[in-house]
Amino acid sequence: MATIAEAAAAAPEPLGRLDQTLLIFAGLMEGGKEDEETVRELGELTRLLNDDVEVTKKGETSVTTVIDSDCVDTILCYLDMRQPDVVRAHAALCTSAYLKAAGEDGGKKLAEFFHDRVRRGTYDDYIVAFCVAATIFPIVPDLTSELFLSEGFLASLGPLMRRKWKSRKVETACLEMLNAACMNSACREAVRKYCTEWLEEIVEQDPDDAVKSMHTVDPDMHLQEGSISMRRHSLQVQNLAAVVLAKLRAVPSTTATAGPEARIQPATTSIEDLSKRFTRMLLDEDEIEHVQPSIEGLAYASLQPKVKESLSKDSKTLKRLVKALDEAPPRSPMIYGALSIFANLTRYRPIETDEEKRIRQLKAYANAAGKLQQVDPLNEDEHVTERCKRVFEAGLTPVLIKQSKSGSAASLALIISIIHALSTPPPLRGQLAQQGAVRLLIAAWTALPETENGPKRAAAQALARILISTNPALVFGGTRPIPQSAAIRPLASILTPDPTADRRDLLPTFESLMALTNLASTDDDTRKSIIRTAWDDVEEQLFNPNSRVCTAAVELVCNLVQDPEQTLALFGDGSPKAKNRVKVIVALADAEDPKTRSAAGGALASLTGFDEVVRAVVGLERGVEVVLGLCRDEREDLRHRGAVVVRNMVFSEGEVGRLARGKLVEGGAVEALMECAKGSKRREVVEVVVQAAEGLMGEGGK
């Protein structure tokens, strides 16, 4: 038979879109073709359907007008589990394109197909109907949920699956449909109500008994396949049923179970039992086909605190999960499933204010009918930290770096979430840097679009945490160095509050300031880059009412002003803005918090090396008083800073120097320096005091 391309080429005139569509369906309805030809035809049909939306805007007739129920039947039958995977994948893309192009009419034809196949009730019809439902759940969840929740449909599945003459393929197709349905909350509740008992029967059945029951009754099972093949299939069915049960157990029910139709029998298979089953499946090297369902099951089971804790303590299983993630094909479901497990194991609870804790407890109290619910102790930070350490020790970081280079946006978000959690315990930060996490985080932040606000901020915060605790020279050195400036923009992005958050979380701001302070301690080029990129936001944090954030901002300024050129530009050009900045630093040197005073004193010790800054300090109403207050402070490091500032002011040149010395003498600087010397034990402090005092006394004798 001629291919579509050959038929189109043989036509006297180019075929229109409608004729092309009919020709494709003629080919798809023919049997006995190679898979490659079927894939080509499905691909061509998908292209026509994808183009349909734009083409119809220009007034052309939609190709969906020639697609009748028989045509829809043809496409959907290629979703049958008995078709090759490559054919099913292209049929799924074609189905998605058709439903998008056909709109409401496509939904009606799909519903008719599903109900008609279920009504016929043959094994072949059930298989196709269940396979179609499983495939289209992610594509059109609302429509599929409506079909799935049709009156009497779910209630009939238990009796169907308990038939003496049952088919392994019907059973598998049904379980895959239930597995997909659990993504929808209403469908999940319905599955919980009507199918839990049957699912538990499957999971608890002895595989050998299942083999005996299938040996002669399964119309799909040929005797020559042997007991080994049948036993393998029985285990496959049990594992799939276990995955569905795990989804039901992991996500709490959202509806009450009272009423005549409620399932009142207690669950016989706990989430912990299912977790152990998935672990055994995962560790069975002889059954590679069980890896995917075991990972999918653990991705849900590991939402539960007890499962998290036990799984994290099983080093053999953790290493097997790392290996599975390392060997998984790019952008495969196995990657997302394994990453979900590690994300669950390492996830910290959100930081709550006292008010948020109170509201959460009140809601939990109301939902529990008068019983106050507490946070599970296994979700407390100390347990999460230990889980993070175990996950890190399993060798996960290099695999995350590998998968980040070719993963989807969803996978990259999970990778960032895991690194963000691993960066929380300070002991892991240096090792994360050594294994390449800094490069990963900078690349991820750069690659993610602005719409991915959450992952971008998480990447920047994880980067900040690592750079707080490590030597920048070690992080940005080596044989393949990363430019130190590449870290500045991500860090600067979290200085400001998250615009999408309900409340301002100051921790990212604080950690960013600390990381930038560490970077600013290195060289003038880095300091210039920080000022150029982030100065306005840094300056804003000097007014932050939170003392820790304010102090961190002052400490950053203290390091930034080590660059003479930048100091003159920001503080020493005599402009009103520069004078106001000096006024802010002097005011912070008089703050109640000693750490803030210390940071501001350090900044003044650098700034007062410039005459215009000294002029600005002397010109302030309480400028000299604040400086001398540092000299009298009970803390020796603050007295040291105060003495350096006084010395700088005393030895300023020209008119500024004379003015400063006069103001200092009037303000009682000699007495303050004497007090400072008497209370100080460190030689370097006394030396600075002596130098300053000699300069002042010399002024007094003039």
Side-chain angles (χ1 to χ4, degrees):
M1 179 181 174
T3 65
I4 296 172
E6 291 168 346
E13 295 181 7
L15 292 175
R17 297 176 65 255
L18 303 186
D19 291 333
Q20 290 180 50
T21 303
L22 290 172
L23 186 59
I24 292 171
F25 273 108
L28 289 172
M29 291 177 184
E30 288 286 339
K33 293 198 304 296
E34 295 292 332
D35 293 340
E36 291 81 359
E37 178 61 19
T38 302
V39 166
R40 267 197 305 274
E41 292 172 343
L42 288 168
E44 185 63 21
L45 181 58
T46 302
R47 183 187 64 77
L48 287 169
L49 289 165
N50 284 333
D51 294 343
D52 201 63
V53 176
E54 292 301 322
V55 170
T56 53
K57 288 180 181 178
K58 300 175 183 178
E60 293 190 31
T61 305
S62 170
V63 298
T64 60
T65 58
V66 298
I67 300 178
D68 58 16
S69 296
D70 290 338
C71 293
V72 173
D73 191 292
T74 299
I75 299 173
L76 296 179
C77 283
Y78 279 110
L79 297 173
D80 191 324
M81 63 188 295
R82 293 166 292 190
Q83 292 283 351
D85 288 344
V86 65
V87 172
R88 293 186 72 193
H90 281 78
L93 293 174
C94 190
T95 302
S96 176
Y98 168 71
L99 292 172
K100 181 179 179 181
E104 187 176 341
D105 183 62
K108 285 179 61 178
K109 285 186 171 63
L110 176 63
E112 289 170 3
F113 172 88
F114 182 80
H115 291 307
D116 181 59
R117 291 285 177 158
V118 172
R119 190 164 46 248
R120 291 183 196 176
T122 68
Y123 281 131
D124 281 343
D125 289 316
Y126 278 130
I127 290 171
V128 175
F130 296 161
C131 288
V132 167
T135 302
I136 66 172
F137 246 112
I139 300 171
V140 281
D142 292 341
L143 174 60
T144 317
S145 299
E146 187 177 333
L147 300 178
F148 189 79
L149 298 173
S150 301
E151 185 177 356
F153 172 65
L154 271 179
S156 68
L157 292 183
L160 171 65
M161 295 300 110
R162 290 189 179 99
R163 286 182 183 177
K164 181 179 179 182
W165 298 82
K166 57 185 176 181
S167 160
R168 62 170 184 163
K169 286 188 171 64
V170 173
E171 200 169 34
T172 303
C174 181
L175 288 168
E176 288 183 350
M177 175 184 64
L178 295 181
N179 192 27
C182 284
M183 67 185 288
N184 177 277
S185 59
C187 293
R188 188 169 56 248
E189 290 302 320
V191 173
R192 195 192 311 274
K193 178 178 178 180
Y194 290 109
C195 303
T196 301
E197 191 173 344
W198 162 58
L199 290 167
E200 288 181 341
E201 289 174 8
I202 296 176
V203 171
E204 294 168 5
Q205 186 177 21
D206 188 315
D208 294 324
D209 292 340
V211 169
K212 292 175 185 177
S213 68
M214 281 194 295
H215 219 304
T216 58
V217 301
D218 190 342
D220 295 318
M221 185 71 72
H222 299 291
L223 293 177
Q224 60 265 34
E225 288 183 8
S227 297
I228 295 177
S229 176
M230 286 186 280
R231 191 176 193 280
R232 181 176 287 113
H233 166 70
S234 177
L235 286 171
Q236 180 185 353
V237 169
Q238 284 186 304
N239 294 340
L240 193 49
V243 171
V244 179
L245 271 181
K247 293 182 179 182
L248 301 181
R249 296 280 187 269
V251 183
S253 176
T254 57
T255 60
T257 57
E261 295 185 357
R263 180 182 181 277
I264 59 174
Q265 293 90 344
T268 58
T269 310
S270 69
I271 191 70
E272 290 83 7
D273 295 333
L274 293 170
S275 174
K276 292 174 183 176
R277 178 187 183 87
F278 297 137
T279 300
R280 289 196 302 271
M281 291 160 52
L282 186 65
L283 295 176
D284 188 350
E285 298 286 351
D286 296 328
E287 302 291 349
I288 301 300
E289 67 270 21
H290 295 163
V291 173
Q292 170 58 35
S294 66
I295 287 178
E296 185 179 1
L298 284 173
Y300 280 85
S302 59
L303 291 168
Q304 299 302 309
K306 288 183 180 179
V307 175
K308 291 182 193 181
E309 195 70 8
S310 62
L311 189 58
S312 72
K313 293 178 179 177
D314 186 347
S315 60
K316 190 174 181 181
T317 299
L318 287 181
K319 289 178 180 178
R320 180 68 183 94
L321 283 167
V322 171
K323 181 182 177 184
L325 178 60
D326 187 32
E327 297 174 348
R331 295 177 177 262
S332 64
M334 192 181 297
I335 289 179
Y336 191 83
L339 290 174
S340 296
I341 295 169
F342 288 120
N344 292 341
L345 295 183
T346 58
R347 184 175 292 113
Y348 284 84
R349 290 191 303 112
I351 298 174
E352 294 179 318
T353 63
D354 292 339
E355 178 66 13
E356 287 170 334
K357 288 179 182 178
R358 188 180 68 82
I359 292 173
R360 174 178 55 78
Q361 289 175 344
L362 288 174
K363 287 182 178 178
Y365 183 82
N367 293 336
K371 296 179 180 178
L372 186 60
Q373 293 182 341
Q374 300 294 332
V375 174
D376 193 304
L378 295 177
N379 280 335
E380 296 290 356
D381 286 358
E382 57 267 28
H383 285 280
V384 183
T385 295
E386 291 304 312
R387 290 200 291 268
C388 285
K389 291 177 181 178
R390 296 179 198 124
V391 165
F392 179 83
E393 289 166 2
L396 179 62
T397 308
V399 180
L400 293 180
I401 293 169
K402 171 187 171 182
Q403 293 296 352
S404 70
K405 297 174 182 177
S406 59
S408 64
S411 294
L412 184 58
L414 283 176
I415 290 171
I416 291 171
S417 169
I418 295 166
I419 296 290
H420 181 268
L422 295 180
S423 69
T424 302
L428 297 183
R429 294 172 182 173
Q431 298 175 74
L432 284 170
Q434 290 173 357
Q435 295 181 12
V438 169
R439 187 184 296 274
L440 182 159
L441 292 167
I442 292 175
W445 186 90
T446 305
L448 286 168
E450 293 300 325
T451 52
E452 297 291 335
N453 181 62
K456 279 182 82 81
R457 290 186 67 87
Q461 188 177 9
L463 177 65
R465 289 171 175 172
I466 293 172
L467 294 180
I468 289 171
S469 304
T470 53
N471 184 343
L474 299 178
V475 175
F476 297 101
T479 55
R480 294 175 59 228
I482 313 167
Q484 192 163 271
S485 59
I488 295 172
R489 284 183 61 237
L491 295 175
S493 71
I494 55 173
L495 285 173
T496 53
D498 182 357
T500 64
D502 295 333
R503 63 176 177 86
R504 179 168 188 178
D505 181 6
L506 291 176
L507 184 58
T509 302
F510 174 74
E511 291 174 332
S512 174
L513 289 167
M514 295 284 286
L516 288 169
T517 300
N518 204 10
L519 293 180
S521 67
T522 56
D523 56 64
D524 285 347
D525 286 341
T526 299
R527 288 188 274 269
K528 285 183 175 69
S529 183
I530 293 172
I531 290 171
R532 186 169 56 250
T533 304
W535 173 255
D536 288 344
D537 292 328
V538 172
E539 189 173 21
E540 182 183 339
Q541 301 313 316
L542 294 173
F543 302 95
N544 197 300
N546 183 286
S547 62
R548 295 187 67 188
V549 173
C550 177
T551 300
V554 180
E555 289 174 345
L556 173 55
V557 170
C558 183
N559 278 2
L560 291 176
V561 297
Q562 302 307 309
D563 178 1
E565 181 182 339
Q566 298 302 317
T567 302
L568 280 172
L570 293 172
F571 293 89
D573 65 359
S575 66
K577 279 189 176 181
K579 291 179 180 178
N580 190 58
R581 289 178 182 131
V582 173
K583 182 179 180 181
V584 170
I585 299 298
V586 170
L588 291 170
D590 193 37
E592 289 185 11
D593 183 73
K595 292 183 178 179
T596 304
R597 293 203 305 277
S598 177
L604 283 174
S606 297
L607 290 169
T608 50
F610 298 89
D611 290 349
E612 283 299 327
V613 175
V614 174
R615 188 193 299 275
V617 172
V618 172
L620 293 172
E621 183 178 349
R622 296 186 61 246
V624 170
E625 179 186 341
V626 171
V627 170
L628 296 180
L630 290 174
C631 296
R632 295 187 175 98
D633 199 282
E634 60 183 17
R635 295 167 180 79
E636 189 163 22
D637 60 330
L638 268 75
R639 294 199 297 273
H640 188 194
R641 286 166 169 77
V644 171
V645 174
V646 171
R647 183 189 63 183
N648 289 345
M649 295 174 69
V650 166
F651 290 101
S652 294
E653 296 181 354
E655 179 192 352
V656 174
R658 288 193 295 274
L659 179 63
R661 289 189 288 272
K663 289 282 188 179
L664 286 168
V665 170
E666 290 176 15
V670 174
E671 294 81 0
L673 288 172
M674 293 302 101
E675 289 180 33
C676 181
K678 289 178 182 178
S680 299
K681 299 179 181 179
R682 286 159 46 193
R683 180 179 176 181
E684 63 269 24
V685 179
V686 176
E687 287 179 351
V688 172
V689 169
V690 170
Q691 292 169 8
E694 287 177 347
L696 278 177
M697 287 187 288
E699 178 68 14
K702 290 182 181 178

